[in-house]
Amino acid sequence: MLENNFIDHSPHQPEPIPRIASASNLVLIDNYDSFTWNVYQYLVLEGATVAVFRNDEITLAELAAIDPTQLVVSPGPGHPTTDAGISIEAIRYFSGKIPVLGVCMGEQCIFSAFGGEVKVTGEILHGKASPLCHDGKGLYAGLPQDLPVTRYHSLAGTHSSLPDCLEVTSWIASGPDGGKGIIMGVRHRELLVEGVQFHPESILTAEGRSMLKNFLKMKGGTWAENEQGQDQSNGHLPVNSVNNNSNSSTRTGTSALRADPKQNESILEKIYRHRRRAVETQKLLPSLRLTDLQRSYRCNVSPSQISFPERLKESSFSLSLMAEIKRASPSKGDISLDVCAAEQARKYALAGASVISVLTEPEWFKGSIEDLRSVRQVLEGMPNRPAVLRKEFIFEEYQILEARLAGADTVLLIVKMLEVNALSRLYHYSRSLGMEPLVEVNTVEEMDIAMKLGAQVIGVNNRNLTNFKVDLDTTSRLMEKTSKETIVCALSGISGPKDVENYKQSGVGAVLVGEALMRATNITTFIDELLGDSEINDFHEEEADVLVKICGTRTPEAAKASIEAGADLVGIILVEGRMRYVPPKVAVEISKVVHQLKKPTAQITSDRDAKESSKAVDYFDHTPSLIHRQDRAMLVGVFQNQSLSHILAQQKLLNLDIVQLHGSEPIEWASLIPVPTIRRFGPEDPGFGLRGYHALPLLDSAAGGTGQMLDVAAVRRSLDLDRGVRVILAGGLNPGNVMTVLRQIDRGSKIAAVDVSSGVEEDGIQSVEKIREFVKAAKAAYRDS
């Protein structure tokens, strides 16, 4: 029985209200406390659909995949930093995305998540009801003062460590003047995050259900978003209330930005304001909403990624290069509006860039997220490809997720424009997506913030973003504040070799160059002169002979003769009904010959003979090595419009080294076949230069084996359109014309191999003499030219 001076405020014979759509997937984290289920009861009674997970039985990734509508963190025993499991991590992740509520320990987790300290209060309370003072907003909208609330705690957040981004919303009156005593509630000034130290679900707390009802009415991830769907008369926090408070200090001195346009606003503030408006508008569009991006990410559609810090450590120069694609800037105006981002990125990569920085801000820098997407696509399949940086004015998780979906390996976070807690939240969110951010600083204070954050890569902007003046010594001065493990990058103002000399001596890890590269007439020469001491890229240290493929082989004896004549590849037709079809038993015997017979000039190489370069190479500069062995010829199985399952079975049965697709098979099949593929194209067919699929395209005139001559002019036009592609040439070649055709096409050794079938036959039978003549002529084409 309760004593007479206690009032039972719990609902008696309660009737739950109908389920509400806006709370259809509320997640409640259980910190191992029986009160969790009282919280659960009140939420359900107010129409929420609730899923409960213990704090050590679910991961953040699993929580994100659930896509909750709200997050509630329960009471629990112990200290928030040691006993709350995933609670603090979940608060950081979901803050700014959905409404977040913390109860008792949950409120302490909020306090800790944003940088505050939770300490012993000096009194142990277990079921004590105390009168509550509050600000009448948020959870307390429409509620009277001096509400009795139930307290079970000996810990609480301290006034002295209250983070700038949080404000006290409720307290226990202290002293004769009723001042703010122990903190009973906090609220984030911008994000839709609230916490209560007391227990609204207790029977001794008045209006506990009303508080939770107010919480379930909240919408969005910020108070600004919430106000769009709420009437201010309901008592909810006004939009930008923190910015309307002249005494507020929610941003550090190094990151103070005005929320509203001012006559004297800096260009950074103006860009920031415009980007916020543009992003908010974009997020309203179907297919571009945050939920749409989250679902796409869960479908694993993001391109593969590499480690940004590790790629910075791999360079052919003493300093790594971050090469920037920048069409314009606020300080210099238009620089190169007509540049193709993909084309520029390929040039940067092949010239030795470790990172490609893509500006995606559209108004002042004339960039877009599509630039980043195309840059990532052009690097696909490129050995040692550079990391891709999204350089943007980032202020929320949406932009980071958008970058990852477009193919970014890292993003830029600017300390000057971010509140410390927002910076921390965005930094950790980026890392949760596998991207270590580039954290940009310009002052000692900002460097201190970046170091406390634990940033692995810090970029020192030599340009002051307030007045846009450049001081190249800024990087060197701030180097003293960093640790040996930190990679420091010099950003902005670098235009020539003299600008980087000091950086080489002072331990700077990388330099970012934009405008000077965009204006350079020869990018490779400019980079070599800028950084000077490049290693030699030995990928093409010797010009290789054209490889020769003898196709249409039908007997083991013919295969042996081709290899002895110097053929690099032996092709067998595995398409029933074709004139040169090889039945399975014969194909097995041919396979044995090809795999066992050594080349006449066989060479054995070791790994020590292979010279590696940290420079990227084009995909098609790498792939010829996949279809060539020095010790023996390679066996090619030719298929045409057969099922994938049949091709896979034949590859395994015959131990095929290479599969050739000679019909209308999907290009994507190359990713599903466990050996390199060659795919047939006409000279003007789309897709033959697509990277990351077929090892090499084979350009042929028709179905193959007909002897029809390939249109040499068409081949030349196609190769001129893509300077990096390499091909196998087929169609009407024979010992008498192969040398002439190769020299006519001569596009910088773009012909990796030649393929012949009918051209080495007499009366439908392969001629050993013609094979020898063909091999000799093909391999001498470039050697003697």
Side-chain angles (χ1 to χ4, degrees):
M1 285 289 293
L2 293 172
E3 297 181 13
N4 290 335
N5 60 334
F6 285 101
I7 300 175
D8 180 0
H9 295 282
S10 64
H12 297 273
Q13 304 299 321
E15 289 290 334
I17 69 170
R19 296 294 174 90
I20 52 178
S22 59
S24 60
N25 191 21
L26 186 150
V27 165
L28 173 58
I29 295 179
D30 175 17
N31 283 308
Y32 285 82
D33 195 280
S34 59
F35 271 116
T36 299
W37 297 101
N38 298 82
V39 175
Y40 172 88
Q41 179 192 28
Y42 271 30
L43 291 169
V44 170
L45 288 175
E46 292 302 328
T49 301
V50 183
V52 182
F53 299 95
R54 285 196 156 172
N55 65 25
D56 57 355
E57 294 181 357
I58 191 168
T59 66
L60 183 60
E62 289 169 337
L63 271 181
I66 293 170
D67 199 13
T69 52
Q70 292 92 358
L71 176 70
V72 178
V73 182
S74 84
H79 195 278
T81 60
T82 56
D83 303 296
I86 199 175
S87 298
I88 290 177
E89 191 178 3
I91 289 168
R92 286 174 176 156
Y93 178 81
F94 287 107
S95 294
K97 299 181 179 69
I98 58 174
V100 176
L101 172 65
V103 178
C104 199
M105 178 186 271
E107 184 262 1
Q108 296 170 7
C109 288
I110 291 172
F111 208 90
S112 300
F114 291 99
E117 294 182 357
V118 174
K119 294 184 177 181
V120 174
T121 62
E123 54 180 342
I124 299 175
L125 301 172
H126 194 80
K128 174 179 174 59
S130 302
L132 184 77
C133 301
H134 59 77
D135 64 2
K137 302 173 184 176
L139 295 176
Y140 311 107
L143 302 184
Q145 293 292 335
D146 296 324
L147 289 170
V149 295
T150 312
R151 299 164 62 192
Y152 289 82
H153 68 102
S154 59
L155 303 173
T158 62
H159 285 281
S160 60
S161 72
L162 179 71
D164 288 339
C165 64
L166 300 181
E167 61 182 350
V168 175
T169 60
S170 60
W171 59 93
I172 301 300
S174 175
D177 59 352
K180 292 183 179 179
I182 294 175
I183 296 173
M184 285 289 105
V186 292
R187 177 189 300 121
H188 198 285
R189 295 178 184 273
E190 296 180 2
L191 309 180
L192 213 164
V193 179
E194 286 220 44
V196 294
Q197 178 62 71
F198 57 90
H199 287 252
E201 77 285 1
S202 169
I203 64 172
L204 301 184
T205 296
E207 304 292 351
R209 279 188 65 180
S210 298
M211 297 176 197
L212 295 182
K213 184 176 182 178
N214 282 339
F215 172 70
L216 293 178
K217 288 180 180 178
M218 297 175 185
K219 300 176 181 178
T222 66
W223 293 110
E225 291 173 353
N226 179 62
E227 185 163 295
Q228 292 175 5
Q230 307 287 348
D231 189 284
Q232 277 198 342
S233 64
N234 290 335
H236 289 286
L237 191 71
V239 62
N240 289 331
S241 65
V242 60
N243 297 310
N244 296 328
N245 182 354
S246 60
N247 296 320
S248 170
S249 58
T250 63
R251 298 186 184 277
T252 66
T254 62
S255 56
L257 295 175
R258 289 178 285 270
D260 299 316
K262 305 285 185 182
Q263 287 185 346
N264 297 322
E265 71 178 345
S266 70
I267 186 63
L268 176 63
E269 292 171 317
K270 187 174 183 180
I271 296 173
Y272 179 76
R273 177 165 54 83
H274 278 235
R275 292 305 291 145
R276 270 202 174 277
R277 186 191 311 149
V279 170
E280 288 303 318
T281 301
Q282 178 178 312
K283 287 163 60 178
L284 299 176
L285 298 174
S287 81
L288 294 178
R289 297 167 299 191
L290 178 60
T291 54
D292 297 318
L293 268 57
Q294 289 170 333
R295 288 172 180 169
S296 294
Y297 183 74
R298 290 197 292 270
C299 287
N300 291 311
V301 299
S302 302
S304 61
Q305 60 195 124
I306 61 175
S307 167
F308 169 51
E310 292 304 314
R311 189 61 182 90
L312 277 175
K313 295 174 184 176
E314 299 172 1
S315 176
S316 55
F317 305 97
S318 58
L319 283 175
S320 291
L321 174 66
M322 304 171 71
E324 187 159 271
I325 297 173
K326 176 162 58 173
R327 293 191 179 90
S329 75
S331 59
K332 297 298 178 72
D334 294 346
I335 297 171
S336 182
L337 294 182
D338 296 329
V339 71
C340 170
E343 186 178 85
Q344 191 81 351
R346 181 178 286 171
K347 291 177 182 177
Y348 286 167
L350 298 180
S354 296
V355 177
I356 295 177
S357 169
V358 186
L359 275 152
T360 61
E361 193 283 323
E363 294 184 67
W364 283 268
F365 294 90
K366 312 301 182 188
S368 72
I369 195 70
E370 288 307 312
D371 282 340
L372 189 143
R373 202 182 315 276
S374 67
V375 166
R376 178 61 185 86
Q377 288 172 347
V378 84
L379 301 178
E380 185 64 32
M382 186 180 285
N384 300 323
R385 75 164 177 87
V388 179
L389 162 69
R390 182 183 191 182
K391 197 173 183 190
E392 172 64 276
F393 298 87
I394 288 177
F395 43 80
E396 64 175 78
E397 288 85 347
Y398 177 90
Q399 297 164 289
I400 298 175
L401 181 56
E402 181 185 38
R404 180 77 284 274
L405 286 168
D409 299 296
T410 182
V411 295
L412 176 71
L413 298 178
I414 304 173
V415 173
K416 185 176 293 295
M417 65 178 282
L418 292 170
E419 174 189 14
V420 173
N421 290 308
L423 173 67
S424 177
R425 191 184 75 249
L426 295 175
Y427 175 80
H428 290 290
Y429 176 73
S430 180
R431 295 196 69 194
S432 76
L433 299 184
M435 299 190 295
E436 175 67 30
L438 171 64
V439 179
E440 179 186 308
V441 304
N442 178 252
T443 66
V444 171
E445 293 77 14
E446 291 171 10
M447 178 63 85
D448 287 340
I449 292 171
M451 291 300 297
K452 289 178 182 177
L453 184 67
Q456 295 181 35
V457 185
I458 298 176
V460 179
N461 198 337
N462 294 315
R463 177 175 284 112
N464 185 305
L465 290 179
T466 302
N467 57 29
F468 278 81
K469 291 183 179 179
V470 173
D471 178 2
L472 291 177
D473 291 332
T474 305
T475 299
S476 300
R477 287 196 300 271
L478 296 187
M479 278 290 296
E480 300 175 1
K481 304 286 291 184
T482 64
S483 66
K484 291 182 179 180
E485 294 75 24
T486 307
I487 300 174
V488 176
C489 309
L491 316 180
S492 296
I494 296 167
S495 59
K498 291 183 179 179
D499 297 332
V500 301
E501 287 303 319
N502 288 337
Y503 297 151
K504 291 180 180 180
Q505 307 302 322
S506 61
V508 171
V511 292
L512 184 144
V513 185
E515 181 189 349
L517 270 174
M518 295 296 293
R519 297 187 189 278
T521 54
N522 186 306
I523 288 171
T524 301
T525 300
F526 177 87
I527 291 174
D528 286 341
E529 292 176 352
L530 177 73
L531 300 178
D533 51 359
S534 171
E535 66 184 32
I536 297 175
N537 189 340
D538 295 315
F539 201 87
H540 296 300
E541 62 174 319
E542 292 182 6
E543 196 64 52
D545 289 338
V546 173
L547 302 178
V548 175
K549 173 172 173 270
I550 305 299
C551 202
T553 303
R554 280 164 280 178
T555 66
E557 293 76 18
K560 182 174 182 293
S562 294
I563 296 169
E564 290 175 342
D568 301 289
L569 304 134
V570 174
I572 54 176
I573 308 300
L574 301 174
V575 186
E576 288 192 58
R578 293 287 297 275
M579 181 177 68
R580 299 177 179 85
Y581 169 65
V582 179
K585 288 185 179 180
V586 179
V588 169
E589 294 304 313
I590 293 174
S591 178
K592 290 179 181 178
V593 170
V594 174
H595 285 89
Q596 294 173 6
L597 185 63
K598 299 298 182 183
K599 283 182 176 180
T601 56
Q603 298 179 16
I604 305 298
T605 61
S606 68
D607 290 341
R608 288 178 298 177
D609 296 326
K611 296 182 179 180
E612 293 186 2
S613 171
S614 53
K615 279 187 177 180
V617 294
D618 196 286
Y619 175 75
F620 287 120
D621 282 339
H622 164 69
T623 52
S625 65
L626 303 179
I627 66 164
H628 177 236
R629 289 183 60 144
Q630 292 182 323
D631 59 334
R632 67 169 177 85
M634 300 184 78
L635 182 63
V636 183
V638 181
F639 300 88
Q640 186 176 45
N641 298 328
Q642 292 151 281
S643 70
L644 178 61
S645 59
H646 174 77
I647 294 172
L648 295 175
Q650 291 294 295
Q651 187 278 323
K652 187 174 183 181
L653 173 68
L654 302 176
N655 193 18
L656 298 175
D657 296 307
I658 300 165
V659 165
Q660 180 172 319
L661 303 176
H662 216 80
S664 57
E665 300 86 358
I667 289 177
E668 293 88 344
W669 278 14
S671 300
L672 305 174
I673 296 171
V675 294
T677 63
I678 296 169
R679 193 182 188 283
R680 183 263 168 196
F681 294 88
E684 297 178 313
D685 287 348
F688 80 85
L690 191 63
R691 272 71 167 173
Y693 294 99
H694 41 273
L696 285 170
L698 182 145
L699 301 187
D700 201 352
S701 56
T706 63
Q708 180 181 340
M709 190 66 191
L710 194 64
D711 184 344
V712 173
V715 173
R716 295 178 66 169
R717 286 194 301 270
S718 295
L719 295 181
D720 283 342
L721 292 175
D722 188 340
R723 297 285 180 176
V725 73
R726 301 186 76 189
V727 302
I728 300 174
L729 197 63
L733 298 177
N734 59 54
N737 68 14
V738 63
M739 183 181 292
T740 301
V741 170
L742 286 173
R743 290 178 176 177
Q744 283 179 339
I745 293 175
D746 188 21
R747 287 294 182 269
S749 302
K750 285 193 172 187
I751 310 302
V754 289
D755 185 320
V756 65
S757 181
S758 62
V760 292
E761 293 179 347
E762 288 183 356
D763 300 325
I765 304 298
Q766 286 182 332
S767 164
V768 174
E769 186 59 34
K770 284 191 173 184
I771 290 173
R772 288 196 188 100
E773 292 176 1
F774 186 87
V775 172
K776 182 179 179 181
K779 290 187 177 292
Y782 295 138
R783 194 185 301 164
D784 300 336
S785 59

